[in-house]
Each structure stands twice: as C-alpha cells, then as structure tokens.
Amino acid sequence: MAYKADGHADDIYMIGETLAEYGEVAPYYAGLPAMFEFSFWYRLDWALNNNTGRHFAKDILSYQSSYANQRKDYIEATKLSNHDEQRTSFVLGSNVAKCKQAGAVLLTAQGHPYIYAGEELAMNPKTNKDKGDEYVRGGLPWGTTEYVSKVGDKTVNANTDDVSVQEKSETSILNVYRNFTKLRNTYPALAAGSMSKHDIYNENNEKFNSLSAWYMTKDSQKILVLHNMGSSSLEVPVSDSVDKPIAVLGSVDQKDNTYRLGANSSLLLLLK
C-alpha cells in the first residue's frame, strides 16, 4: 500500500506507536505499514541482563511472523529504549560493554532501526524515570565535559562523556554505533536482508546458552551474526564457508574454524 501526501505524488513513510508487546501491536499493521517494536528491546534487555542469547533470534522471528500475518510488506521499526522508558544504559546497569552490544544487535538484526538521541552515547540519567520524564529527556551533550540542562525546576544530567570526547576514542560507544551504521550502508544483507535462525546455535542448544546467532541474507549475500551475550568467553566452531570477518566488537580470537568470543563480544562473518 502506497501513502501519498495531499497534493503530492511522492510516497510518504508512516509509523505507529503502541507501547505494548508484539501481540497487541500486530493488529495495527493492518492499517499502518510500520510500528515501533517495543518487544525487540524487551527481549534484548532480558537477554543481556540474564546472559542468555540463545532464545533471541527465535523470539524476534516469531514476532515477525505475527506481523506478516497482518501485512506482507510490514516494516519492523526496531529500537532500544526511548524517551518514554528507562534509558538503555540505566536498564543495563551502566555496563558499557552491554550498551555497546545492544547497539550492535540493533544494527545487525532485521528491521528499520531507530536510535533515540543519547542512546549512541549511553546517556544515563542519575535519577529513575519514575521521578519524571524530564530525567530521560535531557539534551544531547555535544561539547562540554559536564553537561547539565534545566527542565522546569528539574536538573537533567546526561551522566556520560559528550560527543566531542567520544569522537576521539575508537572504542567509544558513539563509534560503535557509527561503525555498525557504516556496515549497514556497505552490506545490503544487513540493511535490507532477511533474518534466519542458525541450524546449530539456537534456542535448543543449552551448551551455547549465551550465544545469539543468526543469518542475514539478501540475494546472494549472506552474513553470519554472532553475539556472545554472556559474562565469560565462549568458543564457537563455525562450519560455514567464510569469506572474511567484517566486524568485531570486543575481544575475538580465531584458531582454525573456531572463534573465541569474549564477554559481550560480537562477530560478523561474510560467507562465501
């Protein structure tokens, strides 16, 4: 279904928002082409905080199936937290490695990802959102070391390194977001591909409990995505025919066809 603005021939993009789980969201796809995907973040939050990755791909694919039943050309607007929720960094206990991996997962899964201002810096209010929305809606800290903004009589502290500081560090969360965004612009399988479960590393494989693995495929291009969401390292044998690694997050070592992924580390492999 194409949407047009009154008096214009160009297509327009429409997106809906229902702050609910996928089952309640799905019926709205009958009237709207895109919906914000709160369930994506809920499951990722659970996976990272429970060091359990093996269920994630299965869950996300089940949501997609529900949406496809309503609209074949649905657009899954994936996201982490937003300004109506506790910030990602707050939920993940200010764990920088988990915040980086959350961004990497968002940008390597199927969907049209949205990044709310401040997520790419791991912006984290010092006060719980329950004390007021003002605490999760602070302005983006561009260039001062200690950024403080006033909202009414509230003080909102970004509680993170600002953009000018993070730009200088290759390993900052800002540059993690930038690097994985560049990957999406480089590899069509990431930007517009279909997600599928790994045959071995999935919800049924308890031995690799912390591993979340899936394929992203577009035409002849196929990428294996591996995220170790655990707090300890994991050795992962790969039987696929690998062309080359295209992204590494955290600590990853290779010996023959086995990759050792450190805690909250990720690896993307372009397959032949």
Side-chain angles (χ1 to χ4, degrees):
M1 180 184 296
Y3 291 82
K4 311 289 182 182
D6 188 25
H8 295 268
D10 296 337
D11 292 347
I12 63 174
Y13 181 92
M14 295 182 67
I15 183 168
E17 180 178 25
T18 300
L19 184 54
E21 285 274 20
Y22 74 99
E24 188 173 339
V25 168
Y28 289 97
Y29 274 107
L32 287 168
M35 295 291 296
F36 283 117
E37 174 62 295
F38 287 89
S39 288
F40 181 95
W41 167 232
Y42 298 159
R43 294 307 174 272
L44 180 54
D45 160 19
W46 184 90
L48 289 169
N49 278 319
N50 288 276
N51 302 316
T52 301
R54 64 187 171 103
H55 302 285
F56 184 74
K58 180 262 296 180
D59 289 343
I60 300 307
L61 290 169
S62 71
Y63 307 155
Q64 293 173 1
S65 178
S66 295
Y67 305 148
N69 287 336
Q70 299 291 333
R71 174 186 292 273
K72 296 302 181 185
D73 60 346
Y74 73 93
I75 299 172
E76 187 179 16
T78 51
K79 52 172 278 302
L80 301 184
S81 72
N82 68 15
H83 53 237
D84 292 319
E85 304 171 283
Q86 302 286 9
R87 284 290 189 166
T88 296
S89 181
F90 187 95
V91 172
L92 297 179
S94 301
N95 185 307
V96 174
K98 288 183 178 181
C99 289
K100 289 179 180 180
Q101 190 166 55
V105 172
L106 175 69
L107 295 170
T108 56
Q110 182 177 335
H112 290 210
Y114 282 72
I115 302 168
Y116 281 80
E119 294 292 275
E120 73 276 44
L121 302 177
M123 193 164 76
N124 185 355
K126 288 183 175 179
T127 305
N128 193 299
K129 173 192 175 295
D130 294 341
K131 293 184 178 293
D133 274 1
E134 296 89 346
Y135 291 107
V136 295
R137 293 173 181 260
L140 195 71
W142 287 97
T144 58
T145 302
E146 182 68 13
Y147 178 87
V148 178
S149 65
K150 293 282 189 178
V151 181
D153 62 348
K154 309 284 188 181
T155 298
V156 184
N157 193 306
N159 200 24
T160 186
D161 287 334
D162 59 46
V163 172
S164 65
V165 172
Q166 293 204 29
E167 282 183 327
K168 298 173 185 176
S169 171
E170 292 183 2
T171 60
S172 70
I173 187 170
L174 175 61
N175 279 317
V176 168
Y177 271 84
R178 287 180 171 176
N179 292 338
F180 277 86
T181 298
K182 288 177 183 177
L183 283 171
R184 291 180 67 89
N185 290 333
T186 303
Y187 295 96
L190 290 178
S194 297
M195 183 179 181
S196 58
K197 284 199 305 183
H198 196 280
D199 290 340
I200 300 172
Y201 306 124
N202 54 48
E203 72 277 8
N204 297 314
N205 195 329
E206 296 182 14
K207 181 179 178 180
F208 292 85
N209 181 60
S210 65
L211 183 64
S212 188
W214 62 82
Y215 296 105
M216 293 294 293
T217 306
K218 174 69 174 175
D219 300 325
S220 61
Q221 187 175 87
K222 190 171 186 178
I223 294 172
L224 173 58
V225 179
L226 301 171
H227 295 289
N228 176 18
M229 298 182 181
S231 57
S232 58
S233 61
L234 184 69
E235 291 191 353
V236 182
V238 173
S239 59
D240 298 280
S241 181
V242 176
D243 182 356
K244 62 180 179 179
I246 58 173
V248 170
L249 174 66
S251 172
V252 177
D253 297 309
Q254 179 185 1
K255 184 177 181 181
D256 299 325
N257 295 324
T258 298
Y259 297 84
R260 185 176 185 271
L261 278 67
N264 294 114
S265 292
S266 303
L267 173 66
L268 271 64
L269 298 170
L270 179 66
L271 304 182
K272 293 180 181 178

